[in-house]
Amino acid sequence: GLQAQHLAAVRAAAAVGQAEIEGAVPGSQSLTFQPRQVTPGYYAFAVGTAGSATLVLQTVLPALLSAAGPSALVLEGGTHNPWAPPFEFLARAFLPLLHRLGPKVRAKLDRHGFYPAGGGKLRVTVEPAPKLERLDLPERSGGLRLRATALVSHLPRHVAERELKVLKRELDLEPEVLAIEEVRAHGPGNAVLVEVESAHLVEVLTGFGAPG
């Protein structure tokens, strides 16, 4: 049935779409969702657990891209979760391509949120476009530039150092493209990000650390 993250996404979509909903309760296996009009404005959504705030954003974003006016969002929950796009993917890979469609969406990370503590926070502004433009990405072009970053929160720095040592060896990276970020979060967490930049886009690949 519906878990906390799913409920947060449903309720966020209901708020943005002025929807009538039935069955939006924890554990529900039946949901009725009847939207009316997409309404731009200021919204604050909190998952309440370490569930992904970035997935909640991706739930409401398609509607707000074509709304009648701009919107501002504050989202709280997980920002760096397995099986969900981390903040860096949105900021460096996803949103730059979205801008080429016409809308302008800007995101700022106030606080990291790792599983299981959560507590992350991001702010997003959305300037819609009357029409989405065409986007063609038929091929990579130009040389590839790689960089790797290890994020650690409430963990020894040597965890990140070991991870970057492996990436340096396996991807044949130069020391100047390796970085460690010791971030503040409510609980321990670890993620490794590898960015692959070509002429027209940036790809972000993420691995998450876990005990053992």
Side-chain angles (χ1 to χ4, degrees):
L2 289 177
Q3 301 301 307
Q5 177 180 296
H6 312 145
L7 281 174
V10 167
R11 289 168 178 164
V16 166
Q18 304 297 300
E20 295 181 8
I21 52 176
E22 296 179 9
V25 294
S28 175
Q29 296 187 11
S30 176
L31 178 73
T32 301
F33 186 95
Q34 295 179 303
R36 291 193 287 269
Q37 184 174 355
V38 174
T39 305
Y42 171 83
Y43 295 97
F45 303 123
V47 178
T49 66
S52 176
T54 61
L55 287 177
V56 175
L57 171 62
Q58 288 193 319
T59 299
V60 299
L61 194 53
L64 294 177
L65 291 181
S66 57
S71 295
L73 309 171
V74 176
L75 301 109
E76 297 183 78
T79 61
H80 293 76
N81 299 52
W83 310 109
F87 174 81
E88 288 81 3
F89 171 81
L90 295 178
R92 300 173 191 172
F94 181 70
L95 295 184
L97 294 181
L98 199 59
H99 292 173
R100 289 160 62 177
L101 298 176
K104 298 299 181 225
V105 182
R106 296 172 176 83
K108 179 180 182 296
L109 182 63
D110 285 353
R111 185 173 57 245
H112 291 70
F114 294 96
Y115 180 84
K121 183 178 182 180
L122 62 142
R123 300 176 185 271
V124 181
T125 57
V126 182
E127 297 178 26
K131 177 186 176 182
L132 296 182
E133 300 298 329
R134 173 175 169 147
L135 175 65
D136 290 315
L137 294 170
E139 62 184 14
R140 279 202 193 105
S141 56
L144 297 180
R145 294 174 295 280
L146 276 71
R147 57 182 173 267
T149 305
L151 306 177
V152 287
S153 168
H154 299 283
L155 291 172
R157 186 179 176 89
H158 67 73
V159 172
E161 291 171 346
R162 292 202 316 270
E163 292 168 338
L164 292 182
K165 183 178 180 181
V166 172
L167 287 172
K168 180 180 184 298
R169 181 183 71 237
E170 297 297 325
L171 298 178
D172 193 24
L173 300 177
E174 297 297 325
E176 59 266 22
V177 301
L178 306 173
I180 296 174
E181 290 186 18
E182 297 184 71
V183 302
R184 297 179 61 186
H186 285 345
N190 170 227
V192 175
L193 305 155
V194 175
E195 296 179 45
V196 183
E197 183 177 358
S198 52
H200 301 298
L201 74 159
V202 175
E203 299 161 82
V204 178
L205 307 128
T206 312
F208 292 93

